[in-house]
Amino acid sequence: MAKLDGLESVLEFIKGLQPKIAAQISKKVLMLNLEPLPVDSKALKGYEGYYRVDPGEYRIVYRFDPESDLVEVILVGKRNDDEVYKQLSRLLD
């Protein structure tokens, strides 16, 4: 089981969402604790060690370090726009 970091940002994001959507996102984040690289995850091009998963209409961007067995949730955002990638670029630059 991996260590999970970044839950504060997830909780902040899901505050105003409908309960069903908040549950989808929460479940997916907690599942990353058990399986850091699920079959539906995709590596982000240009960002070594960064991945994304898409629960419903949302996207979770996270970093996984197999050496320390740490999953760090970086961002949660809408899936159908590029805003989450713009935010990621700003965070990492």
Side-chain angles (χ1 to χ4, degrees):
M1 185 173 343
K3 296 175 222 140
L4 191 57
D5 191 19
L7 291 177
E8 301 84 20
S9 62
V10 175
L11 292 173
E12 185 66 32
F13 183 82
I14 65 173
K15 268 185 186 176
L17 297 177
Q18 296 174 358
K20 178 183 175 185
I21 296 168
Q24 285 177 333
I25 293 170
S26 300
K27 180 180 176 184
K28 191 56 133 178
V29 168
L30 292 176
M31 291 301 292
L32 291 174
N33 191 29
L34 298 174
E35 179 57 51
L37 297 173
V39 294
D40 64 337
S41 68
K42 296 201 180 198
L44 295 182
K45 295 177 185 175
Y47 297 99
E48 182 76 26
Y50 286 81
Y51 301 88
R52 70 163 170 87
V53 288
D54 299 333
E57 295 297 317
Y58 291 84
R59 177 160 289 153
I60 299 168
V61 176
Y62 67 99
R63 183 171 62 92
F64 175 57
D65 180 9
E67 289 181 18
S68 64
D69 206 26
L70 176 69
V71 173
E72 181 182 6
V73 177
I74 307 297
L75 290 169
V76 181
K78 286 282 231 175
R79 187 179 81 182
N80 294 333
D81 63 19
D82 290 335
E83 186 61 33
V84 83
Y85 295 118
K86 291 175 187 174
Q87 289 177 4
L88 179 63
S89 180
R90 284 188 292 250
L91 279 174
L92 299 179
D93 287 342

